[in-house]
Amino acid sequence: MIRRSTLPALAGLVLAGAASAADLPPRVAPPPPPIPPAFTWTGFYIGANAGYGFRGGASTYADPTYGTVTESKSGNGFFGGGQVGYNYQFTPGSGWVLGAEADFQGTTFGRRGDGTIGATPYYGVSPSLDWFGTVRGRVGYALDRWLVYGTGGFAYGGGGASPYAGAYSYTLPDTTRLGYAVGGGVEYALTEKISVKVEGLYVDLGKRGAGATAYDAAVPAYYGTGRSESGFGLVRGGLNWRF
């Protein structure tokens, strides 16, 4: 039991505690964490890529002198190489992005168009396409770390001369070819520095001259420049490092 004489003392302590609490400064909430800056694609980058190239059209074509050539191997195959470029984003976060990119590739699909006419071998005297490259502009729209873009520009390529060229042809195409490339892709930034992309391009390196087709009765075999169309499509994946 609390004695009546202690009640005034307890009441005084309560009032004193309340007064002390009232004198304390108000509790201030901690400041919110700083907001990180919006992501931007602006900057130089370097990277590597690999993919698959393919040529359209049927597996046969007509030689103007000797008839239908049936190709002996596919015009498809793998390629790989590297790229370097620069992007400029007008507004960080989401906004338009302009850029330029140059790449260089080695190929496995640059065959010379060998085949058969009937049962007789047909050997292409045109140079192979062992490498190609492009120099392209890029325009796209960024949604934070996603970038969707279109691209187009100049393309070039070349390869080795055919072992049959000197003996059986007098109108050989040059081993270096020029043309254009167009396409588009999507890129995603994994970190502030590293991004991955998937891209599709159509590359046309110009039509080769028709040339002449010769028949060697001693072998027997045909020798000619093969197809006149040197366009191909490609799909590739890439990895970029921005600096």
Side-chain angles (χ1 to χ4, degrees):
M1 295 293 294
I2 299 175
R3 296 182 178 180
R4 293 180 179 272
S5 59
T6 62
L7 291 178
L10 290 175
L13 289 174
V14 172
L15 292 175
S20 298
D23 293 337
L24 292 176
R27 181 174 297 178
V28 178
I35 299 175
F39 182 81
T40 177
W41 289 89
T42 298
F44 289 94
Y45 62 89
I46 189 170
N49 69 82
Y52 194 75
F54 51 92
R55 296 173 186 262
S59 60
T60 62
Y61 60 92
D63 180 88
T65 305
Y66 293 100
T68 300
V69 179
T70 301
E71 294 180 306
S72 59
K73 49 187 174 181
S74 169
N76 306 337
F78 294 96
F79 66 91
Q83 68 272 353
V84 61
Y86 178 80
N87 290 319
Y88 178 78
Q89 185 170 345
F90 290 92
T91 56
S94 297
W96 291 100
V97 178
L98 294 181
E101 182 176 285
D103 64 78
F104 186 84
Q105 318 291 142
T107 78
T108 64
F109 60 84
R111 86 287 185 256
R112 297 185 177 92
D114 294 348
T116 58
I117 297 180
T120 305
Y122 179 97
Y123 298 108
V125 300
S126 296
S128 61
L129 178 63
D130 301 329
W131 53 266
F132 71 93
T134 69
V135 180
R136 296 169 285 105
R138 301 204 312 173
V139 57
Y141 193 83
L143 296 169
D144 191 37
R145 292 176 179 266
W146 288 96
L147 174 63
V148 180
Y149 62 89
T151 183
F154 170 74
Y156 60 96
S162 166
Y164 311 111
Y168 299 103
S169 178
Y170 53 87
T171 55
L172 285 177
D174 197 307
T175 56
T176 302
R177 309 174 200 176
L178 304 177
Y180 66 89
V182 294
V186 59
E187 191 166 356
Y188 178 72
L190 298 173
T191 70
E192 295 294 320
K193 296 293 186 181
I194 299 174
S195 63
V196 292
K197 70 175 182 177
V198 177
E199 183 176 73
L201 288 179
Y202 176 76
V203 180
D204 191 315
L205 294 176
K207 293 181 180 295
R208 302 195 299 264
T213 301
Y215 178 71
D216 185 351
V219 175
Y222 296 96
Y223 301 88
T225 55
R227 284 187 184 274
S228 63
E229 179 60 57
S230 56
F232 54 92
L234 59 89
V235 177
R236 61 185 173 186
L239 178 71
N240 287 328
W241 181 72
R242 301 191 309 118
F243 57 93

